Amino acid sequence: LYIIDVSQSVEHDHPNALAFLKKDIENVNLYFGQKGVGVMSLRELYDFITTDALGEGGTDGYLARIQSDVEQRQNDLSGAQGEKKSKSITKQEIEETVFRNTEGPRLLHDIT
């Protein structure tokens, strides 16, 4: 799947490029999540987009590992009951919120 959002694109050295990227990822995840599609976390997708070193197996290996993680999270949430389920959701929401609001490098060039 390739999504090109040229109308809102900015140069990689724009001061808010990474904040815009995080917001775009959040919007894509929200859209597909509402359609019932298992999605990467904000951090997982951000790392996939911005990281050259994806580990063993390169792109295919990284995506296979992430797919397994996404499926496990879905199974954990669907199998959880009552309080345990709300804690799982809360933990993931907290992690997403912290990453979304964390200041990182200001420019894509600062990522190595």
Side-chain angles (χ1 to χ4, degrees):
L1 172 67
Y2 293 91
I3 299 175
I4 302 172
D5 188 7
V6 177
S7 64
Q8 297 178 14
S9 66
V10 295
E11 292 294 327
H12 64 277
D13 58 351
H14 187 283
N16 293 317
L18 294 177
F20 293 156
L21 177 59
K22 285 182 182 180
K23 187 63 178 170
D24 286 344
I25 292 169
E26 184 178 8
N27 290 336
V28 167
N29 278 356
L30 181 63
Y31 175 82
F32 285 105
Q34 289 174 342
K35 303 289 183 194
V37 176
V39 296
M40 293 180 182
S41 71
L42 174 63
R43 180 62 184 259
E44 289 166 340
L45 190 48
Y46 178 89
D47 287 346
F48 177 70
I49 293 168
T50 61
T51 302
D52 288 333
L54 296 174
E56 186 176 332
T59 299
D60 291 339
Y62 182 84
L63 291 176
R65 289 188 300 276
I66 294 301
Q67 182 176 359
S68 176
D69 292 346
V70 168
E71 290 170 356
Q72 184 62 49
R73 282 194 299 266
Q74 286 180 308
N75 291 337
D76 290 347
L77 290 176
S78 65
Q81 298 293 325
E83 187 178 330
K84 183 179 176 186
K85 183 175 181 178
S86 66
K87 283 184 181 178
S88 295
I89 293 170
T90 301
K91 180 182 177 191
Q92 185 173 358
E93 288 175 345
I94 289 170
E95 289 173 357
E96 293 284 298
T97 301
V98 168
F99 181 72
R100 184 183 316 110
N101 296 316
T102 300
E103 288 290 328
R106 298 291 295 172
L107 305 174
L108 288 176
H109 277 209
D110 294 339
I111 299 174
T112 57

